């Protein structure tokens, strides 16, 4: 399997005030670019043969990993994704991971991939229950949506058939841009979805069916109980949490 890490996003959000890096992937944790934590995990997985990192020159040294190749980012996230998928367009499915989830672990990705094997789809999208997030990271603040299955947040891990992205680029870009804005996403899906979402009665299966109607592709929501999939670093409090946890992990073990 091939994996893609999306590391071309510019540091123009809340982190810009405190972090000098031009790209979010280059923001440092323990004197390392944040994206290296994700690359380390993917490069260590026997299931992954190649890791394509969408990133500008100078942020990482790709020679540190035998599996890593770099792809220049585009102007927008979707442009970057398209450029990466053009390198793997003949693959069946490709694992896509954001560059701002430094807490991610191999077992979380393996669990997601195993869940994807349970039913066929063109694109799999992860989501995590609020209870799982708060049980592990009680101070983190995320964007949640209340569904029939419970209150969840969108994940940052996907499994996608490249041909689907290349075929439905414009429509997928619109939906992808709204993934952290559930109300706007529901408007795209239809008025009935908005009403049901506000009432907390919208089901994952209904979203999947509507996505297939709109795009002509089969999507599947994948529930993950691994909170690190849903905890990305997009504000100073997230970065402080990641730095504290990873610093603790990397402390030498006392004998």
């Amino acid at each position: 399997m091939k994996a893609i890490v999306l590391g071309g996003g510019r540091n123009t959000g809340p982190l810009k005030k405190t972090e000098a890096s031009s790209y979010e992937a280059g923001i440092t944790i323990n004197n390392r670019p944040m994206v290296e934590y994700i690359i380390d995990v993917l490069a260590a997985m026997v299931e992954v043969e190649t890791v394509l990192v969408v990133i500008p020159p100078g942020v990482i040294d790709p020679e540190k990993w035998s599996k890593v190749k770099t792809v220049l980012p585009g102007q927008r996230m979707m442009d970057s994704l398209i450029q990466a998928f053009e390198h793997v367009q003949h693959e069946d499915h490709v694992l896509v991971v954001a560059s701002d989830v430094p807490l991610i672990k191999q077992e979380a990705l393996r669990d997601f991939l195993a869940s994807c094997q349970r039913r066929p789809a063109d694109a799999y999208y992860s989501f995590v229950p609020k209870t799982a997030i708060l049980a592990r990271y009680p101070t983190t603040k995320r964007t949640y949506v209340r569904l029939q299955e419970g209150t969840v947040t969108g994940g940052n891990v996907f499994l996608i058939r490249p041909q689907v992205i290349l075929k439905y680029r414009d429509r997928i870009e619109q939906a992808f841009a709204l993934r952290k804005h559930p109300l706007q996403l529901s408007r795209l899906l239809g008025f009935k979805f908005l009403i049901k979402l506000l009432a907390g009665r919208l089901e994952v299966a209904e979203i999947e069916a509507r996505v297939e109607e709109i795009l002509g592709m089969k999507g599947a929501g994948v529930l993950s109980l691994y909170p690190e999939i849903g905890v990305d670093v997009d504000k100073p409090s997230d970065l402080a949490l990641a730095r504290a946890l990873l610093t603790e992990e990397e402390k030498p073990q006392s004998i």
Side-chain angles (χ1 to χ4, degrees):
M1 171 180 289
K2 291 181 171 59
I4 293 172
V5 180
L6 295 174
R10 290 189 173 274
N11 182 21
T12 58
L15 290 168
K16 182 180 180 180
K17 296 180 180 179
T18 58
E19 302 300 320
S21 173
S22 298
Y23 292 86
E24 288 190 0
I27 292 173
T28 58
I29 296 177
N30 292 335
N31 299 313
R32 302 176 62 197
M34 173 165 57
V35 68
E36 288 196 0
Y37 285 91
I38 296 92
I39 297 172
D40 281 350
V41 169
L42 290 168
M45 294 177 67
V46 295
E47 303 92 331
V48 176
E49 59 185 82
T50 303
V51 182
L52 290 178
V53 184
V54 182
I55 201 161
V59 177
I60 64 169
D61 176 9
E63 299 299 322
K64 291 175 64 175
W65 306 271
S66 61
K67 295 182 179 180
V68 169
K69 298 179 181 179
T70 58
V71 178
L72 291 175
Q75 290 296 316
R76 301 171 302 168
M77 181 182 293
M78 197 64 190
D79 297 328
S80 297
L81 191 58
I82 290 294
Q83 289 177 193
F85 271 121
E86 286 175 345
H87 287 76
V88 294
Q89 59 184 291
H90 300 300
E91 297 293 318
D92 183 35
H93 284 81
V94 175
L95 181 63
V96 180
V97 184
S99 66
D100 58 355
V101 283
L103 300 176
I104 200 74
K105 298 291 186 290
Q106 291 186 42
E107 54 266 30
L109 295 176
R110 288 199 176 100
D111 177 77
F112 171 73
L113 292 172
S115 296
C116 293
Q117 296 300 315
R118 293 172 188 153
R119 55 179 173 146
D122 296 312
Y124 300 85
Y125 174 61
S126 57
F127 62 96
V128 184
K130 181 178 182 179
T131 52
I133 297 283
L134 296 182
R136 179 82 61 84
Y137 310 116
T139 62
T140 189
K141 298 185 184 300
R142 312 250 57 89
T143 299
Y144 295 103
V145 58
R146 187 161 58 98
L147 301 176
Q148 185 70 35
E149 291 86 351
T151 301
V152 301
T153 189
N156 299 278
V157 177
F158 313 83
L159 186 67
I160 302 175
R161 195 186 303 276
Q163 298 91 332
V164 169
I165 290 289
L166 297 174
K167 183 176 181 180
Y168 298 111
R169 171 180 178 173
D170 293 339
R171 293 179 181 181
I172 293 174
E173 180 176 15
Q174 184 181 10
F176 190 83
L178 297 178
R179 76 192 193 284
K180 294 295 186 179
H181 304 280
L183 290 179
Q184 295 180 47
L185 185 57
S186 291
R187 292 190 188 101
L188 173 67
L189 294 171
F191 182 71
K192 181 176 74 173
F193 279 76
L194 175 60
I195 297 301
K196 295 192 76 171
L197 174 65
L198 292 174
R201 295 188 292 108
L202 190 62
E203 297 180 4
V204 173
E206 293 178 276
I207 299 174
E208 294 171 349
R210 183 60 176 151
V211 166
E212 188 166 4
E213 288 178 16
I214 294 173
L215 298 181
M217 56 168 274
K218 189 170 183 60
V222 176
L223 177 69
S224 174
L225 297 180
Y226 286 85
E228 54 265 41
I229 282 180
V231 177
D232 52 351
V233 174
D234 57 12
K235 52 186 177 294
S237 60
D238 299 330
L239 182 58
L241 175 66
R243 282 174 170 165
L245 291 173
L246 291 170
T247 297
E248 185 65 27
E249 280 186 16
E250 294 175 12
K251 281 184 178 179
Q253 297 295 316
S254 57
I255 300 176

